[in-house]
Amino acid sequence: MNKRKLGKTGLYVSEIGLGGIPIQRTTQEEVNKIIDELINQGINFIDTARGYTCSEAYLGEALVGKRDKFVLCTKSMARTYDMMKKDIDISLSNLKTDYIDIYQLHNVKTEEEYFQVMSLNGAYKALLEAKASGKIGYIGITSHSLDFLEKIIDNNPFATIQFPYNIIETKAESLFQKAIRKDVGVIVMKPLAGGAIENGKIALKYIINADFISVAIPGMASVLEVKQNATVISGDFTDDEKMYIKEIRETLDKDFCRRCGYCMPCPQGIDIPSCFVFEGYFDRYGLVDWAKERYGNMKHFASACVNCQACIKKCPYGLDIPRKLKRVVRIFGK
Ligand code: SF4
Ligand code: SF4
């Protein structure tokens, strides 16, 4: 497995790493085998999150005695100093380590949130302290908002950024190029568009063909998936592969939510992109209980949609959002 430099961290990471979301639907025994297979295949990058229920703990147990083989990353949605300080210690305990290579601010959506994080009592202060005391090595940030990351990229203090990129979500290319020029590592989430692209081999090849990414992190929940992903190599596309990419783009273009948030706000208060994210966790990731729980915590459900169509006009992809929300209602029952 080829290695690439992860920005200013100076760490060399495999082009393909483990995304930790689907670890939640597997078992400790399987995760132990996954970790061994990652080592066999030369994959040395793991990304998980405080929010992925048992993912940190399963990985931590499986990494006992093998921690030094990996660049280990996790992340927290904490926005305040106290909450982030607490979360860093929980992550260290779950991961059974005294050192996390990269700790990321998870899913910062807006400048307002960013100002909160960077304020005197914000989460960033706790990350700086953890770095100074040797609990973490570097600080990263993840987001689904291209607008937000473009606003901060010129003067950002982060070692890495994490953002979606795949065959049908290519808008971040100039952001990534800028990041690489600034020696900021680029971690690609959603390389299979949250499971919407079924041919993982072509999807990953598309990403590692780009020289402006550091590592792509497909979710992997079995040894077989690790083996399949590890066979991917960069290179020219065959005619069949080009045809597949064209078909995928045509099929998903008018149906796939890119989580950009341009359709917001909805007058009914519905968090439209989150509805589709939880729908994907439910049926493409198979994380049924987790998706139900997170959907259930939303303030307004898809069933509140009154089909005013205001969102459709704002969606750059012209998605029929009210129709798609009906499917969300069918899945979650509200
Ligand atoms: S169509 Fe439904 S989801 Fe879209 S803005 Fe109107 S109420 Fe909100
Ligand atoms: S529905 Fe459209 S505008 Fe809204 S988040 Fe998805 S892709 Fe973006």
Side-chain angles (χ1 to χ4, degrees), residues 52-305:
Y52 301 164
T53 61
C54 58
S55 177
E56 279 187 340
Y58 279 4
L59 288 165
E61 182 63 31
L63 285 169
V64 172
K66 299 158 190 171
R67 165 70 187 90
D68 62 339
K69 307 275 188 223
F70 293 95
V71 171
L72 186 55
C73 314
T74 191
K75 49 195 176 293
S76 160
M77 295 284 292
R79 299 294 182 250
T80 64
Y81 171 82
D82 288 339
M83 291 303 293
M84 183 58 90
K85 194 174 157 69
K86 199 171 149 200
D87 265 2
I88 293 167
D89 285 337
I90 295 171
S91 292
L92 286 164
S93 168
N94 284 345
L95 290 163
K96 294 194 190 319
T97 182
D98 58 4
Y99 178 76
I100 292 164
D101 293 275
I102 303 166
Y103 209 101
Q104 302 155 103
L105 292 157
H106 192 173
N107 198 14
V108 181
K109 293 178 182 155
T110 60
E111 278 183 288
E112 291 71 35
E113 255 185 82
Y114 185 63
F115 291 143
Q116 187 195 356
V117 160
M118 304 305 278
S119 67
L120 269 181
N121 281 317
Y124 187 67
K125 184 180 158 195
L127 290 166
L128 282 179
E129 282 182 8
K131 187 167 183 259
S133 66
K135 290 180 177 179
I136 66 172
Y138 302 92
I139 303 169
I141 189 165
T142 85
S143 181
H144 289 98
S145 168
L146 187 60
D147 286 352
F148 162 67
L149 284 180
E150 279 177 339
K151 275 179 191 147
I152 67 156
I153 193 70
D154 282 329
N155 293 302
N156 83 88
F158 303 107
T160 60
I161 57 168
Q162 185 175 151
F163 189 81
Y165 180 70
N166 55 61
I167 289 171
I168 51 171
E169 293 182 270
T170 58
K171 286 199 168 163
E173 285 182 0
S174 64
L175 170 81
F176 287 171
Q177 281 159 349
K178 195 179 254 191
I180 291 289
R181 281 200 300 276
K182 292 177 132 334
D183 211 17
V184 172
V186 172
I187 304 169
V188 170
M189 65 162 110
K190 309 284 186 293
L192 277 66
I197 303 170
E198 286 176 4
N199 190 321
K201 205 169 168 181
I202 298 177
L204 291 175
K205 183 173 173 181
Y206 181 86
I207 294 166
I208 66 172
N209 270 354
D211 60 5
F212 47 76
I213 72 110
S214 309
V215 53
I217 51 167
M220 301 186 221
S222 69
V223 168
L224 181 64
E225 285 175 356
V226 177
K227 284 184 175 161
Q228 286 169 342
N229 290 338
T231 62
V232 177
I233 47 169
S234 55
D236 292 338
F237 287 116
T238 64
D239 287 344
D240 283 349
E241 288 172 336
K242 283 181 196 160
M243 183 63 73
Y244 179 81
I245 290 169
K246 188 168 171 280
E247 279 170 9
I248 279 288
R249 284 181 169 153
E250 283 169 2
T251 311
L252 293 179
D253 191 48
K254 288 273 181 252
D255 196 52
F256 182 73
C257 172
R258 279 81 162 175
R259 306 164 295 271
C260 63
Y262 294 143
C263 51
M264 300 282 282
C266 156
Q268 296 298 108
I270 303 166
D271 181 344
I272 297 166
S274 292
C275 285
F276 299 139
V277 167
F278 299 146
E279 178 193 24
Y281 287 150
F282 185 99
D283 61 6
R284 291 197 295 270
Y285 279 75
L287 296 165
V288 173
D289 292 340
W290 189 55
K292 277 185 185 168
E293 188 194 327
R294 296 191 71 189
Y295 183 79
N297 287 335
M298 287 179 45
K299 285 195 187 126
H300 303 277
F301 301 118
S303 53
C305 175

Side-chain angles (χ1 to χ4, degrees), residues 263-272 276 301-302 304-314 320-323 325:
C263 51
M264 300 282 282
C266 156
Q268 296 298 108
I270 303 166
D271 181 344
I272 297 166
F276 299 139
F301 301 118
C305 175
V306 293
N307 198 15
C308 72
Q309 313 236 332
C311 52
I312 298 180
K313 295 181 195 111
K314 291 186 278 181
D320 185 346
I321 295 167
R323 177 188 60 76
L325 287 177

